[in-house]
Amino acid sequence: MKKLFVAMGLFLGFIGVAVMSVLFFVDIDKYRPKMVETINQNIRGQLNLGKLSWSLWGHIWIKVAGLTLQDSAGKGVMQVQDAYFELPFLPLLSGSPVLTFKMNQPTVHLSKNKRGQLNVMSLIQQTPAQSPVSASPVSPSSSGTSPLSNSLPSVLTRARLGVELDSASVQYTDESTGLSTQIKDMNLVLRNISLSHPIELELWAHLDTRLGNTLQLRGPVRLTGQAQIILKEAKIQSAQLHSRLDMDAVEISASDIFQKQRGVPAHLELALFASEKEIKIEKLDLQFFNIQMGMQGEITNLASAHFKIQSNSVELAPWTELIPPLKQYQLGGSAQFEAEVNGSSEKLKYNGKIIVSNLTAKSPQLKVQPKIDGIVRVSTDQVDQILLTLKAPANDLKIQGKIISFVRPQIHLEVSSTGLDLDQLIEFPPLEKNIAPAVASSSEVKKASSTTVRPDLDALLAPLRENKVLADTVASLTIQMKLFQAKKVKLNDLLCKMSFSNLSLGLDSCNFKVFGGTIQADAHAQLRPKIPTYQFHTQIADLDLSQALESQMALVKNTLTGKTFMTLKGEGSSLNSDLAIPNLRAKGSLKVTQATFTTIDVMKMVGEATTQAMNQIGNQVPGIKGKSIGNLPNHASQYEFVESDFMIHQGKFSLPNFYAKAVAQKGIDIKGTTTVGLKDDSLETAWDIIDTYNLTQMKDISVEQNGIRVDHIFSEKGAPVHFPIHAGCTVSKPCYHSSEVPVF
């Protein structure tokens, strides 16, 4: 026994001397230059290694005193001051080697340029393509199985690799999107990377991510997982994976629009099974706040796929906690999502649906709370069904349709309602009354117009013309409503058909009743030209402008009241007002029955003109001096009809044969021309005032001088008194010129 101990002591001493000799006489650092040279020859970048040292006490331990890696542009990709490899002796001697690579406080810089290229991908050395002649043929396996199933050496199947990163710092920037991410204190532990043991993963870090100036992610994130490779007779049969990503403690903010606080659920759990013949997602569960979404499915023979995705019924009211702007609307209702994917890798077919139920909202602008239900069904390359309904007191609305093809879209929508009364649904702001505009000096007006920059609406359409999908889009829209009302304007029996094709937008037909009359219209706009063009045609019958004025429609505020009949046909170009107004060309006819002018006081105009004329003539003709006209009615002139042809040209609206036929004893006839400036509201008239019913009593004035009496001095025999008068200034504030009356 004593001899045995002596022998063992001598053996251990020999081993110790051998180890000391190897450590003393073998300098592992001398291999470093060759290692660095070999690596740099195979990458497009620069690797620098610090001094290598090693130890054989109880394990093989190789320390690297610093490591830096730069890309082809000389920018740093990774650097670490402390890294080492560890290989214990006992597992190595037992045929199950365990190799662990550790790095302490490494720094990694990842970036993507504007061309979408990652800096780490630029490190890969481009390998020249082999010619067909020199390429070696690959012999298929006699068993017909993939290389994955080939037998593996027993040592390799039992070998284990480990990777550990301690307090790593990762920085990522994307020049194309402005994304900037910094991961602080990242720790990674990968244990038992092998074919014979369960592989374990732990990754935890602190996120500090910013996308542009809006989106921010801050807080700890943790990823855990376990993978198992199943071997049979030294062949890989299958693999299983189970992992969980936990971001519950991460804070997410997007300006004042979205705020996720620490503790709000945000996690993902995945269970995956894979073999040569199939990949099966046994479980994919996602939870974000109160959304729970699950997915199951499989891919068979790497060709046929089947997946099913389904969410819970998500209550919308709690989302006001995450989206502060929604708080004022008191959102209610629920939403749910379902989808299914089937088919081969060459042609996948899918269908799904989004269901919205009892969607409600309140706001200061809503008088009542509407309820919205909806469903959208989607299948391969199209939307099979769109169905949305809105219900509220005195209101209902239905939108239905479909979209065929996402590449060359054909969109068909129908909007229908038995009654949509927005006055009962929405609290519109009150109309401003009796507010006099501030009077600005001409210099102030010029200064304001020179400093105001207006958008070029024609130029804004350029991206539409360059969009191929939009250019190939065909769409139709039908709107049918029994009643539509907003701001006291009520439309009945509304039926409009619209279309879009080849960048041409058309109002193919539109008919409705409003203010006791009917309107028929059609219009088309071509958006493809650099300056868009358009054409339109309108017919109006029996429209009561008095009702329009009572509803405070600004369009008729400075015109006429009465029953209106009109036809209008025209064309134009440009969406910019400075070009659209002079380019507008139209013509038509207008007739208003039971008419009254809203801003032009004909009685006042005639009274002032005739009084002034009598005074001036009296200075020349003594017989007239002291005479006066009769008392004109103190009400607005009333007309059986006002009619004229009209045209719009070069920014002017002109009525060349304007004729106003007065009601007997209620007004004075007017004939002449009228021109209105569309841009400056200017007014220019040349009217012949005809006192058909002798309201001024000027026809009765006679003169006697030197024994000669002249009856009806101001009129032709048997004809009424008439004289010219001009109106100018603006339509809203007309001014009258009667200087020609005395001479006439």
Side-chain angles (χ1 to χ4, degrees), residues 232-297:
K232 186 176 181 180
E233 297 178 355
K235 296 180 181 179
I236 299 176
Q237 296 295 310
S238 60
Q240 292 180 327
L241 170 68
H242 185 276
S243 63
R244 178 184 172 87
L245 175 64
D246 192 337
M247 298 179 65
D248 290 357
V250 175
E251 297 178 359
I252 304 175
S253 64
S255 187
D256 297 327
I257 300 174
F258 182 87
Q259 300 287 334
K260 174 196 172 299
Q261 301 297 330
R262 180 185 180 94
V264 173
H267 50 259
L268 174 70
E269 191 169 353
L270 171 67
L272 185 71
F273 172 83
S275 67
E276 289 186 5
K277 294 185 178 180
E278 67 175 348
I279 298 175
K280 182 183 292 185
I281 298 178
E282 298 176 337
K283 179 173 68 172
L284 177 59
D285 292 340
L286 167 69
Q287 181 172 0
F288 186 86
F289 192 40
N290 65 345
I291 297 178
Q292 296 178 359
M293 188 171 293
M295 175 179 175
Q296 291 180 325

Side-chain angles (χ1 to χ4, degrees), residues 72-240:
S72 57
K75 296 181 179 179
V77 176
M78 185 179 71
Q79 62 183 21
V80 61
Q81 297 299 320
D82 184 14
Y84 61 88
F85 294 90
E86 183 180 13
L87 182 64
F89 278 129
L90 289 179
L92 178 63
L93 295 175
S94 66
S96 301
V98 178
L99 176 64
T100 303
F101 175 59
K102 297 183 179 181
M103 288 193 292
N104 293 322
Q105 298 182 337
T107 301
V108 180
H109 300 273
L110 302 176
S111 65
K112 182 190 289 186
N113 59 26
K114 293 182 179 179
R115 298 187 300 274
Q117 298 173 335
L118 282 170
N119 60 343
V120 291
M121 298 304 295
S122 68
L123 294 170
I124 300 175
Q125 189 72 266
Q126 298 293 326
T127 304
Q130 292 181 333
S131 64
V133 177
S134 61
S136 301
V138 179
S139 301
S141 172
S142 59
S143 63
T145 59
S146 67
L148 185 66
S149 300
N150 292 339
S151 298
L152 298 170
S154 60
V155 174
L156 181 58
T157 61
R158 293 194 301 272
R160 287 176 286 168
L161 174 66
V163 177
E164 295 184 16
L165 300 181
D166 184 18
S167 301
S169 175
V170 179
Q171 294 179 342
Y172 173 75
T173 56
D174 189 335
E175 296 179 2
S176 60
T177 63
L179 174 65
S180 174
T181 302
Q182 183 175 11
I183 303 176
K184 300 177 181 178
D185 194 24
M186 188 184 82
N187 299 274
L188 171 67
V189 177
L190 265 172
R191 299 188 186 94
N192 300 326
I193 304 175
S194 69
L195 301 175
S196 57
H197 292 74
I199 303 170
E200 298 178 4
L201 165 68
E202 286 186 74
L203 173 66
W204 66 99
H206 188 90
L207 293 180
D208 188 358
T209 302
R210 180 183 293 273
L211 178 59
N213 296 322
T214 55
L215 183 63
Q216 271 190 304
L217 286 83
R218 278 187 170 183
V221 60
R222 189 176 191 89
L223 174 66
T224 58
Q226 188 178 68
Q228 176 72 62
I229 298 175
I230 310 299
L231 297 178
K232 186 176 181 180
E233 297 178 355
K235 296 180 181 179
I236 299 176
Q237 296 295 310
S238 60
Q240 292 180 327

